[in-house]
Amino acid sequence: WSQFLSKLRLALSTERGGETGAGSATLLSDFDARGLDVFRTNLQLMRECCRLIGAALFVLRQPTLVHAGMDEDERALCRFDFHGFDEAAHLRAYEGIYRVIDEEVEAARVIDATGMSRAPGLFADHVHPSPGGATVLAGIVADALERWLLERDG
């Protein structure tokens, strides 16, 4: 279903710079909090699927360019108009996402890549990495998985 819904979303949207929103001139001061419930349910389903097949679930605490006190260049790069809600709402959304991760995933299985947040050169927009950012992110993930494998295998 996920692939079908992703393809449907893309087919019915206008692609712009990596995002699919139409752009909104008026930004709302809040986000749809139901998204956090959907995210929580998805994490629970993935965790259960991994348990059933004997796989290890790792979750990335995703880095973002969104932070309090952004300058105008960073705001322009973030393109809040694609999501229809403002900077403060994005900050609360990320806080909510990180809280759900902390509540649903054991700490040893969370790969924290937020150390690369707030670095405009590492992002193509508010969340998608630039080529250089992808290299940094790959290194963070590889290091975390290597540590886990070494601990697991003794």
Side-chain angles (χ1 to χ4, degrees):
W1 281 106
S2 177
Q3 290 298 313
F4 170 74
L5 293 174
S6 293
K7 288 180 182 186
L8 180 64
R9 175 179 170 243
L10 292 172
L12 298 176
S13 301
T14 303
E15 185 176 348
R16 292 192 173 134
E19 288 290 339
T20 57
S24 174
T26 304
L27 299 180
L28 301 176
S29 61
D30 210 356
F31 66 98
D32 187 342
R34 294 176 299 179
L36 294 176
D37 294 330
V38 171
F39 180 59
R40 180 183 305 278
T41 299
N42 287 342
L43 279 177
Q44 292 168 343
L45 291 170
M46 287 185 282
R47 187 179 60 221
E48 182 61 15
C49 286
C50 287
R51 186 190 67 75
L52 288 170
I53 65 172
L57 173 66
F58 289 89
V59 175
L60 182 76
R61 184 181 292 263
Q62 188 169 355
T64 178
L65 187 57
V66 177
H67 63 91
M70 292 188 301
D71 63 34
E72 287 305 313
D73 290 338
E74 291 170 324
R75 279 190 192 90
L77 190 59
C78 286
R79 296 299 314 261
F80 296 126
D81 57 311
F82 283 143
H83 299 141
F85 53 93
D86 66 16
E87 177 181 341
H90 273 81
L91 288 168
R92 287 191 305 279
Y94 276 102
E95 289 169 1
I97 290 167
Y98 296 154
R99 184 179 62 254
V100 169
I101 290 171
D102 291 343
E103 292 169 358
E104 296 295 335
V105 182
E106 65 178 277
R109 299 288 177 86
V110 176
I111 300 172
D112 189 353
T114 58
M116 63 183 278
S117 293
R118 299 183 181 198
L122 299 179
F123 293 91
D125 59 19
H126 72 290
V127 71
H128 300 103
S130 65
T135 299
V136 171
L137 186 57
I140 292 168
V141 172
D143 290 345
L145 294 178
E146 180 181 35
R147 282 191 305 277
W148 177 77
L149 288 168
L150 290 171
E151 289 173 14
R152 184 194 71 174
D153 297 339

